[in-house]
Amino acid sequence: MRPVRVVEGRAVPLGRNDVDTDQIIPSEWLKRVERTGFGRGLFSEWRDDPDFVLNRLEYAGATILLGAERFGTGSSREHAVWALLDYGFGAVVASSFGDIFANNAGKQGLVIVRLEPATLSELVALVVADPARHVTIDVDRLLVEVPDAGWRHGFDLDPMTRERLLEGWDDIGLSLRHEAEIAAYESRHAGTTPVARLAAR
Amino acid sequence: MAGRTLYDKIFDEHVVAAPAGGPTLLYVDLHLVHEVTSPQAFDGLRLNGRRVRRPERTLATADHNVPTDPPSVPVADPVSRRQLEVLEENCAEFGVTLYPRGDANQGIVHVIGPELGVSQPGMTIVCGDSHTSTHGALGALAFGIGTSEVEHVLATQTLPQQRARTMAVTVEGRLAPGVSAKDLVLAIIGRLGTGGGAGHVIEYRGEAIRALSMEGRMTVCNMSIEAGARAGLIAVDETTIDYLRGRPGVPEGAAFDEAVERWRGFVSDQDAVFDVEVVIDASTLSPRVTWGTNPAQVVPLDGVVPSPEDAGSPEERDAIERALAYMGLAPGTPLREVGVDVVFIGSCTNSRLEDLRAAAAVAAGRRVAPGVRALVVPGSHRVKAAAEAEGLDRVFVDAGFEWREPGCSMCLGMNPDQLKPGQRCASTSNRNFEGRQGRGGRTHLVSPVVAAATAIAGHFAAPAEVAP
Ligand code: SF4
């Protein structure tokens, strides 16, 4: 994973509660075996609507997506994260997230920012008032800022996720540092596994 | 010191390493794999020169994408076909046992794990699929993961995990006749909301849960994710042990007795404390139907479509309006007056033998209403074979239902079984999201018996209302 220190650029206010991962990337896109090219499928059922916020010119090239409550619930498809990244988003700001989605995002370098609903509303109001405004999300200092409005707010990120983002660490590499412990665990729990028993029948 | 919950016991038993400041590294006993969320993970292994650490703890099947035509009919969609081939190539290359399309053991991953006896009490089970929570019915800690985590488990047989919070959902009393596990879990989700279980592992307990069959328990645990929970769990009891006895992945003889001895420990201690406790009275429940675009938007079958006026907040009002518009429903309409175009009986929520028996009992001697397409998709080849041995296929076909080959099918419409825009479907699956069963399709979640009765009546109905 590449390190992520700061995400900056325009922000686009999607709003809507309960945006599930089926909405983020519909299942017809899940047949692909590649990891790239999912940006075209992002919110594809909504993008036919010319008024859909992502189709509005003033938000073109946005790098930050502003959601609402329970963003990314539902299916575990990591394709949702790939689609957001591939489209050009580097961060999603919402007041709550689906657990698996947030987990997947952390592994891929998509920054997840949780803001209280009132704080999120302030940010949305600033963006709606002037869509060209730059918003900055600083992973190192854990700050969301709208510099030209003098607005800033802190956010929480668990220390491990923050460090992984900043360093660009690969989880598998980190876990394999515990190779000796994994091997020790396995020798304590040796024996025929159910899958082996099944395969032997 | 207070006792431990079932969740804590399983978690504690699987700790490989607990580095200071970081998440705990948890051992994974069983990794279930399917064609949709695995290709990029196997690619990752290849790129990094890694192997599958424990093929004997990994089991793959093809389910999401497979057509429900007989296996002799080729897969028409080249992109789907490629994905199924890639799964076969990957499993062959990395030494993973695979039950491909047409195999006697093939089926929906969450149906075959329990029925083959590879999902067992006290295990940690993961799969790149959010309904992995199903296996929690056996007293296993089972949860869905993303593709990066699939790769992580393939490479290390572990996962970094933070300990979740625990929630007890205690269901007191007994379900009335005609009220199923599906109605119960829809009522629970209606109560908790789509985010009520976030960050939690739910343990279902109480008299009504203990009275459920293993298959009913799977239906309940399956939909834990729809309340935002990471996993659902039910303590081991005689029902669990009776279910497991004699299954192919389960040991026999003295080894079985030894296993049972250990399994009996997978219950929460009497004095265990949960972070959150919710109590539900089963005796007050009746059949449920979802009316909106998330599973918490649910009302009794006897009820009416809600109105934006009922909303508690502007956001909720907006959500109701949006759902009504998408679903093409007017506030105040009795559910019984809402007609359907399609009925789908299937999915990892309700495609096991007991579900098919219940639906067939309603279908027997009746006819699907004119203009309604009704599909029955067994969860696995084993379910299909068992149903056919009892003649359930004949019952369905004689009543005008289609009897199809196993797979996820219209639960997510990745194969050709899809709704057309505007079509309304009574479905025994688990998600009524916009477009879930096909672009523009309108999904109402129901139990198998309500689905069967609805197919016959042509509108939402309970079994008692359909004429023989
Ligand atoms: S049946 Fe539906 S919910 Fe279950 S695994 Fe398949 S697609 Fe997912």
Side-chain angles (χ1 to χ4, degrees), chain A residues 34 48 78 175 186 193 197, chain B residues 27 40 56 148 152 249 439:
Chain A
E34 300 82 16
D48 288 348
E78 195 161 309
S175 293
E186 287 179 329
T193 66
R197 198 171 294 120
Chain B
Y27 198 74
Q40 296 86 353
E56 75 279 18
S148 292
H152 191 287
R439 200 178 173 107

Side-chain angles (χ1 to χ4, degrees), chain B residues 63-64 108-110 129 131 222 347-349 407-408 411-412 429-431 436:
Chain B
D63 57 2
H64 281 63
I108 304 173
V109 66
H110 310 310
D129 188 282
H131 292 101
N222 172 273
S347 92
C348 57
T349 313
C408 294
C411 174
L412 90 167
S429 58
N430 44 51
R431 284 187 174 139
R436 170 80 178 182

Side-chain angles (χ1 to χ4, degrees), chain B residues 23 60 67 92 98 145 162 168 210 235 338 406 416:
Chain B
L98 165 69
I145 57 178
Q162 305 280 6
R210 284 194 303 274
V338 177

